[in-house]
């Protein structure tokens, strides 16, 4: 059984994961309307992945005797000056999510809720991957600079992340 403290914290994470999905969805729309088809496909896939992260926690809460809550979401940003700005925001958001997961892990350990602690280890590993991928993408964007040809190739190549996983 979940303590109320853990249940509340997990429901907060449900909201964060749902908002993450919305952020990626908004980025997908922006990229799509700016002719960045590859980036938009990547963002749509990321939005779906974040929703799955949310659902995984949602179901866990209910399975452990809690009550998963659907809450109001903060509307994401809808415009960006550049695709680089968008990816910088993505990276910063992933760092924020990692910090939130780490707080949950700490809470579950301090509350001696080892089932939740064990459950959250998947999220810890996932966030290492998410942050690494975002940083890698930013590094590639910095290499491109203002080169339009480089942007074209980047937009085409980022689609590989959807099916092939992170690029190194």
């Amino acid at each position: 059984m979940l303590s109320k403290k853990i249940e509340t914290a997990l429901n907060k994470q449900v909201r964060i994961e749902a908002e993450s999905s919305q952020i990626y969805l908004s980025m997908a729309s922006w990229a799509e309307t700016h002719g960045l088809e590859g980036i938009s496909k990547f963002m749509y896939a990321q939005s779906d992945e974040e929703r799955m992260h949310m659902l995984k926690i949602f179901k866990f809460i209910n399975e452990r005797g809690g009550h998963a809550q659907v809450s109001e979401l903060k509307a994401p940003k809808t415009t960006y000056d550049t695709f680089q700005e968008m990816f910088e925001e993505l990276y910063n958001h992933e760092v924020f999510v990692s910090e939130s997961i780490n707080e949950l892990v700490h809470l579950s350990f301090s509350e001696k809720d080892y089932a939740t602690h064990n459950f959250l280890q998947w999220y810890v590993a996932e966030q290492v991957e998410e942050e690494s991928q975002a940083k890698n993408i930013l590094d590639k964007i910095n290499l491109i600079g203002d080169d339009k040809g480089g942007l074209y190739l980047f937009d085409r190549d980022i689609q590989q992340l959807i099916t092939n996983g992170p690029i190194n």
Side-chain angles (χ1 to χ4, degrees), residues 71-85:
S71 62
E72 185 175 354
L73 304 179
K74 185 174 75 173
K77 184 175 178 176
T78 58
T79 60
Y80 303 90
D81 291 330
T82 66
F83 79 104
Q84 182 174 6
E85 174 194 337

Side-chain angles (χ1 to χ4, degrees), residues 3 71 90 95 119 127 134 138:
S3 70
S71 62
L90 178 152
V95 169
F119 169 77
Q127 282 309 120
L138 274 179

Side-chain angles (χ1 to χ4, degrees), residues 29-46:
S29 180
W30 182 87
E32 195 167 48
T33 61
H34 285 78
L36 300 168
E37 180 183 2
I39 293 171
S40 71
K41 286 180 181 179
F42 171 77
M43 293 298 183
Y44 280 124
Q46 290 298 111

